[in-house]
Amino acid sequence: MSEGDSVGDSIHGKPSVVAAFFSRIGQIYQSWLDKSTPFYAVRWAATLLFTAVYMIRVYLLQGWYIVTYALGIYHLNLFIAFLSPKVDPSLLDEDEGPALPTKQNEEFRPFIRRLPEFKFWHSATKGIVIAMVCTFFEVFNVPVFWPILVMYFIMLFCITMKRQIKHMIKYRYLPFTHGKRTYKGKDETGKPFAS
């Protein structure tokens, strides 16, 4: 490939104005994402508010139910990935690396999610934005009988959550940190304090 043949390059091999513009937009977007990382409550509150706006829009327009159904399925998949461990204990052999503790006296191992909280939030918010954009185009307003979609979604949610809860019980893990034992230091005997 000769100089200037790549996408986004000008004739002289320097980035084009369009490529530079989108690169700068990407940097600004990433900067805002980085700044929002520690504020999980505010991030989720904004996402819930945006979800409410989307639901009100769909209700008032009386359409785009298939888009809403697809958004619900997408969010369900994200939620399952959020609840699942990064390494599935059912796929591990006994001698194949660290796994979740299965006995009371086993060493503490932190729960590592398949989908971290920040990526869960970011993907869920992007899904809502895409669904909102779809409501501005009539081509996505496929006529369906919405009560059937609601029934399908409820059935799918129940079946999926039942399977996930059985998996949690079988491999004895809890994907939430609230109420778990935390260690804050050592006493004079060298044993860790537990709270």
Side-chain angles (χ1 to χ4, degrees), residues 55-100:
M55 297 305 265
I56 291 168
R57 178 169 170 75
V58 168
Y59 176 75
L60 292 176
L61 293 175
Q62 294 293 307
W64 287 272
Y65 300 122
I66 201 78
V67 172
T68 305
Y69 178 72
L71 178 65
I73 297 295
Y74 180 65
H75 282 173
L76 179 61
N77 284 330
L78 291 175
F79 186 60
I80 293 301
F82 177 72
L83 293 178
S84 301
K86 187 173 186 175
V87 178
D88 190 353
S90 64
L91 302 176
L92 286 178
D93 293 334
E94 288 296 319
D95 55 335
E96 191 180 315
L100 295 169

Side-chain angles (χ1 to χ4, degrees), residues 110-153:
F111 182 82
I112 301 172
R113 300 177 187 285
R114 186 169 12 137
L115 181 67
E117 180 272 333
F118 184 81
K119 288 184 179 180
F120 176 33
W121 166 79
H122 188 238
S123 297
T125 306
K126 282 195 305 187
I128 295 165
V129 169
I130 291 168
M132 182 71 85
V133 168
C134 288
T135 63
F136 290 98
F137 298 98
E138 193 64 36
V139 71
F140 296 112
N141 190 10
V142 178
V144 292
F145 186 58
W146 67 265
I148 296 292
L149 290 180
V150 171
M151 190 175 67
Y152 282 160
F153 182 78

